[in-house]
Each structure stands twice: as C-alpha cells, then as structure tokens.
Amino acid sequence: MRDRPGPPGQQDQSGHTDPARRQAVVVDALLGFAVFAVVAIAIGAGIGGGDLPAVLAYGFAAVLGLLMLFRRRWPLAVLLLTAVLLIAYYVVDLPVIGLAVPVAAALYSAAVFDRTRWAVGTAAALVVVSTVARLGEGQDPAFLLGFELVSTVAIMGAAIAFGDGVRQRAEGARQRELIAVLDAQAREAESAELLARERARIARDLHDAVGHHLSVVSLHTSVAAEALEEGAMDPPVARAELDHVAQAAREGLRDLRSTVRALRDPRGGQGAGDGIERVAGLAHLDELVASVRAAGLGVDVTGQPGPGLPGLVDATAYRVVQEALTNTLRHARAEAAEVVLERAEESLTVTVTDDGTGPLPGEALGERCGSGLAGMRERVRMVEGTLEAGPVPGRGFRVRARLPLGGGA
C-alpha cells in the first residue's frame, strides 16, 4: 500500500535527489531516532518485565524507530506493524514502555497521509486489548481506568488530531494552488477569446468598409475597359466610368481610415454619446445608394430610421444594407433593389430585396453570401437582433434584419 508522495530518496530526471525528498528523509530519520530514544529510556528504567535479556527490548525499540523511515510510503502498514510489535513486546513480558508513546508517531503518520479512520480504529483496539489484559492480570481498576486510560487516550487522540490537522492544512494549500492555476488558465482563456473576438471585429470592419467600394470599382473598371476596346472606342463613357472608380476609391479610403481610427480609439475622439464610433451609419445611406445606382443597379429607399437611433444599431443597420447591396452587385444579376426601413417603438427592421435571377452558372448560393452574410449575422447578434436571408419565391433575394433599439447596451 503506497501513499502519494512516493518512496524516500526519489531522484529527478537529472539523476539528483530532490531537495524536498532529502529533507523528508532527514525528518523521518530524526523522528525514528526520537521513537527509539523514548522507548529506550523507558526500557532503561527497568520497570517490570521477565527474565528475557534487555538487548531484546532494545531491539524492539530499534525496529519501532526504523519503521518511521517507511511511514510516507506505507503509512498504514507501518501503523499496523507498530501495533503488532507493541502487542508482541508485552506478550513476551519485556519491561514496561507504556502504550501511547511508542505508537504515537505511527498514529500521527497515518493521519497525515489520510488514514485517519485506520488510526482511530487501531488506537481504540490497542486501548481495549491493553485494558482488558491488564484488568485480567488483577491491576488496580481505579488507577488503570481513572488515570492511565485517560492519559493514554489523550496522547493518542492528540497525535491523531495533530496529524489530521497537518493533512487538512496541506490539502488546503494544494487546493489554493489549484484554484490559482485554474484562475490563471481562465484568465488566459478569456484573453484568448477576447483576442479572437477583436480579430473577428477587425475582419468585419475591414470587409464592410472596403468590400463594397472594391465591388463598385471592379464593375466600373470592367465597363471602362469595354468602352476602350478596339471597335467600341467610346472615350466619354470610359471617362465617366473612371470618374466613378475614383469616387468609389476615395469613399473606400475614407471608410478605411474611419475604421482604423475606431480600432485605435473606440470613441474616435468624437464622444459619440454611447461610446461607439459611428464609422458608418444611416446618415450615409444616400451616398451608399448613389454609388450603387452609379454602378447600374436601380435602388429605391422607403421609410426613415427616425431620430435618436443608438449608435451601434445605426452602424449595424447601415452595414446590413451595404453588404446586401454589395452581394446584389456581385452575384444577383439584378436590375433593381429596394431598401425598406421600418421603425417601431422598440426596434428597427431593415429589409433589402432585389429582383436578381440568383447565382451565376457554376456558382453555389453559399458563394453569394460568403463571409459577408456571416459578418452580418455576427453584427446583428451583437445588438441581440435577428437576421433572415434567402431567395424570394419566384425571383430575387431578400435580407431582413430586426434590430432592437436597446440591443448591445
């Protein structure tokens, strides 16, 4: 039966004995010598005993002391062997050495290494056996039960209680260390989660700020290239398309700078009331719609967001419209789209519907949505809203977001 700490003299991976283990061996050796010395002093007093030579008694004392060297590895075995040796000691009629003192160290060791019940049971068994045997020999009951029994029980109980207290304090220290480790791990996990969220937010902001304008640039560049092809050569059309490209590039750079400023300082130095930088909002919806119309898609806007729109809800609504129209330009082959803003008492509903024919040949529906739809869902989830996106029966595609006005607070 082996206890947790391991055998004395355990070596580390470098081949050297662990300093804590060396200290434990020294402590056990000193404790063993103390047991031997106490028992030897009692033997030297020469009280009682038969005709057997004293050297045998000192041999018992030495064995009781040597057992302390193994108390960490086999605490229960040491306790039981000590009890058996003590009974054998008195059976062969050697000088009186008492009952509690020779076994006190073994009781303490058993309690320290979480064998408290065994320690209590062994102590009780020794007391009962000793008391019954001595009463049977005719010893004075008043002295035996009124004085010696009380002192014996007190010493044994103190040894067990002391050992159990040491064990509980050690377990408490281990638990505090474990709690500290778990707390550190929790903080690391929280930091990692916050970092992941921040990276996702940066990705969304860059996707929303740049993706739309790059789509517009791509469309106008294609038209300009067609206008300058040999056989077409329509410089005025090409010049107009390049003007649209320049305008979209300027707006994209403006949004990108705003996003970078917001990432560096959440308030953007503007004190936006609720601490949220309004990088984009429905106040810029007309500019967004104008750029989409210039790319050849007819867009109608109905409804008003109303006054007092929370900053995060305002930005989310704008990004939903921007991403939905960008997807329409890229994938829908639509001729027209409609943006509907419906302000209720506790929510704002944004609906974007186009009349497109769906994905291009060889293009899956998921490619139309891509990371843009995932970004929209994340933004809407941040304000505790809901998002629905899917084909319209017959023709077209619809994106609808319901944004609670108190969401994200």
Side-chain angles (χ1 to χ4, degrees), residues 205-214 247-263 277-281 284 287-288 291 318-319 322:
D205 288 337
L206 292 178
H207 178 278
D208 293 343
V210 179
H212 167 74
H213 297 293
L214 288 181
Q247 177 64 23
R250 285 192 295 268
E251 292 178 356
L253 288 174
R254 181 200 65 192
D255 284 356
L256 181 59
R257 293 191 188 101
S258 299
T259 301
V260 172
R261 282 198 302 270
L263 292 175
E277 163 67 2
R278 296 177 185 239
V279 176
H284 303 292
E287 300 175 14
L288 171 64
S291 67
Y318 176 85
R319 294 304 191 189
Q322 183 184 54

Side-chain angles (χ1 to χ4, degrees), residues 278-301:
R278 296 177 185 239
V279 176
L282 294 177
H284 303 292
L285 184 58
D286 291 342
E287 300 175 14
L288 171 64
V289 170
S291 67
V292 174
R293 287 172 178 163
L297 178 67
V299 181
D300 292 328
V301 180

Side-chain angles (χ1 to χ4, degrees), residues 95-106:
V96 176
I97 58 175
L99 181 65
V101 174
V103 80

Side-chain angles (χ1 to χ4, degrees), residues 18 73 116 173 194 234 264 282 292 294 327 340 350 394-395 397 401:
D18 181 12
R73 187 170 186 178
T116 304
L194 291 176
D234 193 347
R264 290 176 176 173
L282 294 177
V292 174
N327 282 339
V340 179
V350 179
R395 180 185 176 94
F397 196 87

Side-chain angles (χ1 to χ4, degrees), residues 75-127:
L76 182 55
V78 168
L79 173 64
L80 297 178
L81 187 55
T82 299
V84 170
L85 285 173
L86 191 57
I87 294 174
Y89 181 93
Y90 282 109
V91 167
V92 298
D93 196 19
L94 292 171
V96 176
I97 58 175
L99 181 65
V101 174
V103 80
L107 292 173
Y108 163 80
S109 300
V112 164
F113 296 111
D114 200 16
R115 303 293 189 273
T116 304
R117 292 183 179 180
W118 281 92
V120 172
T122 302
L126 286 174
V127 169

Side-chain angles (χ1 to χ4, degrees), residues 207-208 210-216 219 288 292 297 319-332 352 368:
H207 178 278
D208 293 343
V210 179
H212 167 74
H213 297 293
L214 288 181
S215 296
V216 173
L219 288 173
L288 171 64
V292 174
L297 178 67
R319 294 304 191 189
V320 168
V321 175
Q322 183 184 54
E323 183 59 32
L325 292 178
T326 300
N327 282 339
T328 298
L329 285 174
R330 287 175 175 172
H331 307 288
V352 181
R368 167 174 182 164

Side-chain angles (χ1 to χ4, degrees), residues 183-193:
D183 185 55
Q185 292 176 348
R187 288 196 298 270
E188 291 178 0
E190 183 179 3
S191 299
E193 182 180 359

